[in-house]
Amino acid sequence: MSDARTEMLSRIRTALGGSAPEPAAVPRVYRSVGEHGAGSDAVLELLVDRLVDYKAHVHRVSAAELPALLADLLLPGAPEADPGRSAEGQVVGSSDYRSPDILPTTREAARSVVVPSGIDGAWVAGLAGVEVFRDSREAPLSAVELDGIDAVVTGARVAVAETGTIVLDGAPDQGRRAISLVPDVHVCVVRTDQVVQTVPEAVRLLDADPGRPLTWISGPSATSDIELDRVEGVHGPRTLHVALVS
């Protein structure tokens, strides 16, 4: 350990009332849990509100309806809305704040989609006519190959309602960080029981696998660095669809 680091840690330990070599106890007086349970109606409503505010498109579907939703969103020439879809299988928010009983009018037709190797094959089984690439750490696609792919479909590890944040941790259904950053459209599948209210609740879940790389997503990629003009798609996908699956 360098002398500078040793000195800095010693000062912190002293400030906290500890003595070397025993680590000092760090007071954690912040709120560690929300008042609403994971996956509750209140938590889901809050997450949707945040995501819509970030200009993401949010869709509530059952597991059985998920393949049809992906086809609606990604297939060239697919209908904008499915009159036969159940009341649950409807968009509940979008960046254009349209009525919640129809899908967003701005839909990105994809000619190619990349998915992580551990994703459920049934999710993309209905994407006839779309070239589906599978990516893994053992057989990764190059940055050039990913740049030529229109969309990506992944799962998620946890979502935080209060901040509207979705966290990927590189598990087999989420894959490498690169596949969620390079394609222009990201469809992220989040189970309702994965949605917690607060950041500390999410961090405790993520601590189960502390060595995994984390990607924290709060809406589509956007920046206002240049003359305060909003530019989307600079640091990641321009369009984010969140499928909330119950």
Side-chain angles (χ1 to χ4, degrees):
M1 186 181 298
S2 67
D3 292 340
R5 184 179 179 188
T6 301
E7 175 65 19
M8 181 61 68
L9 291 175
S10 176
R11 290 186 182 186
I12 294 173
R13 188 180 295 111
T14 301
L16 293 172
S19 58
E22 294 298 324
V26 178
R28 303 186 186 277
V29 296
Y30 53 78
R31 185 175 55 137
S32 61
V33 66
E35 59 269 26
H36 302 294
S40 64
D41 290 342
V43 165
L44 297 177
E45 182 179 352
L46 182 59
L47 176 67
V48 170
D49 180 74
R50 295 291 189 268
L51 289 171
V52 170
D53 191 50
Y54 295 154
K55 301 187 181 299
H57 303 276
V58 186
H59 314 268
R60 289 291 303 272
V61 292
S62 67
E65 292 171 319
L66 181 58
L69 171 67
L70 296 179
D72 281 343
L73 296 177
L74 299 174
L75 279 181
E80 297 296 338
D82 180 1
R85 183 175 295 171
S86 70
E88 284 189 353
Q90 300 292 349
V91 63
V92 293
S94 67
S95 59
D96 53 11
Y97 300 95
R98 294 181 60 83
S99 170
D101 60 351
I102 59 174
L103 289 170
T105 56
T106 54
R107 183 180 53 79
E108 308 292 337
R111 295 163 298 178
S112 55
V113 175
V114 59
V115 298
S117 59
I119 208 169
D120 185 347
W123 291 4
V124 294
L127 297 182
V130 174
E131 191 171 7
V132 178
F133 295 87
R134 288 191 175 267
D135 181 272
S136 67
R137 288 177 175 79
E138 295 73 28
L141 298 174
S142 69
V144 173
E145 289 173 313
L146 289 174
D147 191 47
I149 295 175
D150 298 319
V152 57
V153 178
T154 72
R157 176 64 179 92
V158 66
V160 183
E162 287 191 344
T163 60
T165 303
I166 299 169
V167 186
L168 313 185
D169 71 354
D173 66 334
Q174 298 149 56
R176 298 186 303 132
R177 177 178 291 152
I179 69 171
S180 65
L181 295 180
V182 179
D184 204 43
V185 178
H186 184 186
V187 182
C188 189
V189 179
V190 181
R191 300 193 318 272
T192 54
D193 63 0
Q194 292 178 305
V195 183
V196 298
Q197 184 175 345
T198 67
V199 171
E201 290 173 275
V203 170
R204 280 199 301 273
L205 291 173
L206 296 170
D207 191 48
D209 296 290
R212 288 185 173 178
L214 302 181
T215 303
W216 297 64
I217 302 169
S218 296
S221 165
T223 181
S224 299
D225 290 343
I226 302 175
E227 297 183 356
L228 298 182
D229 290 331
R230 180 182 172 93
V231 179
E232 298 176 345
V234 175
H235 308 298
R238 188 188 315 270
T239 302
L240 174 64
H241 290 281
V242 179
L244 276 176
V245 179
S246 55

